[in-house]
Amino acid sequence: MDLVICSASFIKGGPPTYLGAKSWLYKFQKLLVTQDVADNASITVIAHARIPLVKFVDKLTGLKVDVSFENMGGVRAIDTFLQWKKEYPTMPVLVTVVKHFLLMRGLNEPVNGGIGGFSVICLVVSMLQTMPQLQGRGVNDEEHLGLLILDFFELYGCHFRHESNAISLKGTVGYVPKSSVSTFTYKNTNRLSIIDPNNPANDIAGGSSNTAAILDRFYDAFYDLRDRMRCFKRHPERGGILDVILKGNYSSFRMQRKYLKHVHQETIGPCSDQD
């Protein structure tokens, strides 16, 4: 779960209060402990990241929480996501698959060189924007989700040239040579670069130091899925197609859902499995 805390002065366009000194991060850590929200051992303060974070495990629900400060980018991104969701109804499903794919490989945390949820959303939307042939094939039809996920892994694993191109989702839609990007400066060009559609001065994927590993995994996924589909055509009894990239032990997920249902029933009231 991602949360953001912004001071009134920052929201009104003034200077950031909570990041004026790194001590605010540690004050927040202490507050979480004194209010019995989290155990101190579960809290990690990441003070020197591009976007400082406090990470903790919520004591009541067991959910992992990331809190950033004075960062309106994520708030603005919500409206952008909702608009894209209307334009590309299949986008959330594709994003869910890719996010879980990265999670299973430890490549989903920007603070560790991976790419976060909004970066994944942008990658999916960019594919849909720049491949108009997908529209004619029926991207709104769930029957084509398998082809779309295969297209995603092929595009970014086999064809996209991240060293020389940045992704633009607004204005000039498509790929922009990094050499022509003037709204920010690259310290190196070996990372994914996604120009923030809400703030051109921000590179959403600027922290993706593990870009090579991420794209290599996309490459592997494309060929694994392609080979699995060929095998499935001959031997459909040998398991699902997505097993080759998503098979794992999901017992912890089932336990988490069961526990969250219990918490809901104890604190709020009855709920069904569909709630």
Side-chain angles (χ1 to χ4, degrees):
M1 179 184 296
D2 294 329
L3 302 175
V4 59
I5 297 176
C6 295
S7 61
S9 63
F10 185 74
I11 292 174
K12 294 176 182 177
T17 298
Y18 298 130
L19 292 183
K22 300 297 182 184
S23 60
W24 275 104
L25 300 172
Y26 298 97
K27 289 178 181 178
F28 183 69
Q29 177 186 21
K30 185 176 180 180
L31 178 68
L32 292 173
V33 175
T34 57
Q35 295 299 312
D36 206 31
V37 175
D39 289 323
N40 194 59
S42 80
I43 304 173
T44 302
V45 176
I46 304 174
H48 301 290
R50 188 168 63 97
I51 299 177
L53 292 173
V54 175
K55 302 167 73 72
F56 67 92
V57 178
D58 179 67
K59 213 170 187 179
L60 177 62
T61 63
L63 292 174
K64 295 180 179 180
V65 183
D66 290 358
V67 182
S68 61
F69 299 81
E70 312 289 40
N71 174 29
M72 292 297 291
V75 178
R76 298 188 189 100
I78 294 173
D79 291 334
T80 302
F81 170 79
L82 293 175
Q83 179 59 40
W84 284 341
K85 186 178 178 181
K86 290 180 181 178
E87 295 179 33
Y88 309 106
T90 55
M91 177 267 289
V93 180
L94 300 174
V95 168
T96 299
V97 173
V98 176
K99 284 181 65 176
H100 191 68
F101 174 86
L102 292 169
L103 169 67
M104 293 180 73
R105 290 154 181 81
L107 295 169
N108 64 312
E109 292 273 9
V111 295
N112 296 322
I115 54 175
F118 194 52
S119 290
V120 174
I121 291 169
C122 290
L123 291 178
V124 171
V125 169
S126 177
M127 178 187 75
L128 298 175
Q129 288 178 335
T130 57
M131 300 177 73
Q133 68 272 25
L134 299 181
Q135 310 296 332
R137 201 170 65 193
V139 295
N140 293 336
D141 190 338
E142 290 186 359
E143 293 180 3
H144 295 278
L145 286 170
L147 291 173
L148 287 173
I149 197 64
L150 196 64
D151 286 330
F152 177 91
F153 288 129
E154 181 180 16
L155 171 62
Y156 293 110
C158 305
H159 302 302
F160 181 63
R161 297 293 173 256
H162 70 281
E163 303 96 337
S164 55
N165 292 320
I167 292 173
S168 175
L169 300 115
K170 192 175 181 180
T172 303
V173 172
Y175 307 137
V176 178
K178 287 184 175 180
S179 58
S180 68
V181 174
S182 59
T183 51
F184 50 80
T185 303
Y186 293 104
K187 293 182 179 179
N188 53 62
T189 58
N190 62 354
R191 302 181 181 188
L192 281 169
S193 178
I194 303 172
I195 301 171
D196 191 334
N198 299 309
N199 177 15
N202 179 42
D203 184 356
I204 296 171
S208 56
S209 58
N210 282 327
T211 289
I214 293 167
L215 300 186
D216 283 348
R217 298 296 80 74
F218 288 168
Y219 176 92
D220 293 341
F222 169 68
Y223 284 103
D224 287 344
L225 283 171
R226 190 189 66 173
D227 293 345
R228 183 71 188 93
M229 290 170 71
R230 290 172 176 171
C231 178
F232 185 81
K233 189 174 182 179
R234 298 190 302 270
H235 306 286
E237 74 282 356
R238 293 185 181 177
I241 293 173
L242 291 178
D243 283 357
V244 292
I245 63 169
L246 295 179
K247 189 173 183 178
N249 184 346
Y250 289 89
S251 60
S252 61
F253 286 81
R254 289 189 288 271
M255 290 176 61
Q256 177 76 70
R257 288 178 63 86
K258 184 178 180 181
Y259 180 68
L260 287 175
K261 182 178 180 180
H262 169 74
V263 171
H264 188 285
Q265 291 172 334
E266 291 293 314
T267 59
I268 300 175
C271 66
S272 67
D273 290 335
Q274 285 72 43
D275 290 341

